Amino acid sequence: MTEYVRDGAEIYRQSFAMIRAESDLTGFPADLEPVVVRMIHASGQTDLTDDVVATPGVVTAARAALAAGGPILCDTNMVASGITRLRLPADNAVRCHLKEPGIADLAERIGNTRTAAALQYWRDDLDRAVVAIGNAPTALFALLDLIDQGWPRPAAIVGAPVGFVGAAESCAALAERTDLEFITVTGRRGGSAITAAAVNALASTAE
């Protein structure tokens, strides 16, 4: 029989210990460090620390919003599926609106992607929400535009869309903001797993 570690808790313990041994986490405040560790764990890339950018108050803002029952608004179902419900402090709603009736027609009317069009369903909850964008740069660009047009600012944004067209640019646009609490990954890296991992770490201090 093949020998390998079979205990889930021990796998996590060893994994996080290896990440901390192999990653340069010195530039991150204490409350953000476990978030970055989980993002590295999801990506398998210890040099992700080079690209993570976050505001000093994002962890406090996100945890306060979630503790108060705020929803998590996701750009795709992949991101929503990666969020561990047992870690949520207030049985928070996790929403993705890509399957709303007429979303394709709405996207055509506004001349954008379905993920960008789905943001139209976010407005009423945005000011108390944690936003998780891990796939679609168009959703992140659209969110920033809507905020500039007067929409409410979310409590916190985890914005780490992945890809080659618009991903780096949308994350750079988020990283330049001084009016928002956010975590982003600059460059082309990112994705559903990294984004969901960050939200899971924000949702609970349990490692």
Side-chain angles (χ1 to χ4, degrees):
M1 183 178 291
T2 305
E3 290 295 325
Y4 55 92
V5 181
R6 300 165 186 264
D7 180 81
E10 180 61 15
I11 291 170
Y12 271 111
R13 189 195 68 76
Q14 290 188 27
S15 295
F16 293 152
M18 292 170 70
I19 289 168
R20 288 191 166 90
E22 297 177 21
S23 304
D24 182 5
L25 297 163
T26 56
F28 299 105
D31 64 349
L32 185 60
E33 180 186 307
V35 181
V36 178
V37 167
R38 276 197 169 262
M39 294 169 74
I40 293 170
H41 182 256
S43 68
Q45 299 169 329
T46 56
D47 67 339
L48 192 70
T49 53
D50 295 339
D51 297 334
V52 175
V53 178
T55 53
V58 66
V59 175
T60 299
R63 287 181 175 162
L66 293 175
I72 300 169
L73 305 177
C74 305
D75 66 329
T76 63
N77 288 305
M78 290 177 67
V79 174
S81 295
I83 294 170
T84 304
R85 282 15 181 217
L86 290 176
R87 295 182 66 88
L88 300 179
D91 194 24
N92 306 75
V94 180
R95 299 177 187 159
C96 175
H97 292 282
L98 280 179
K99 292 185 178 180
E100 295 289 344
I103 196 71
D105 292 338
L106 177 59
E108 185 174 355
R109 285 201 304 273
I110 68 172
N112 210 328
T113 64
R114 290 188 303 119
T115 46
L119 270 64
Q120 297 298 317
Y121 293 89
W122 290 7
R123 182 167 188 163
D124 290 345
D125 290 322
L126 201 54
D127 62 349
R128 63 191 192 95
V130 173
V131 168
I133 297 176
N135 280 74
T138 53
L140 184 51
F141 276 129
L143 176 62
L144 298 179
D145 285 344
L146 290 169
I147 292 169
D148 288 341
Q149 292 166 22
W151 275 38
R153 295 182 181 89
I157 301 171
V158 180
V162 64
F164 294 88
V165 178
E169 293 82 0
S170 65
C171 291
L174 178 59
E176 291 175 357
R177 302 294 291 235
T178 58
D179 59 331
L180 301 169
E181 298 289 356
F182 65 81
I183 300 171
T184 190
V185 179
T186 59
R188 293 173 171 175
R189 293 193 286 188
S192 300
I194 289 174
T195 301
V199 174
N200 287 335
L202 292 169
S204 173
T205 58
E207 190 155 85

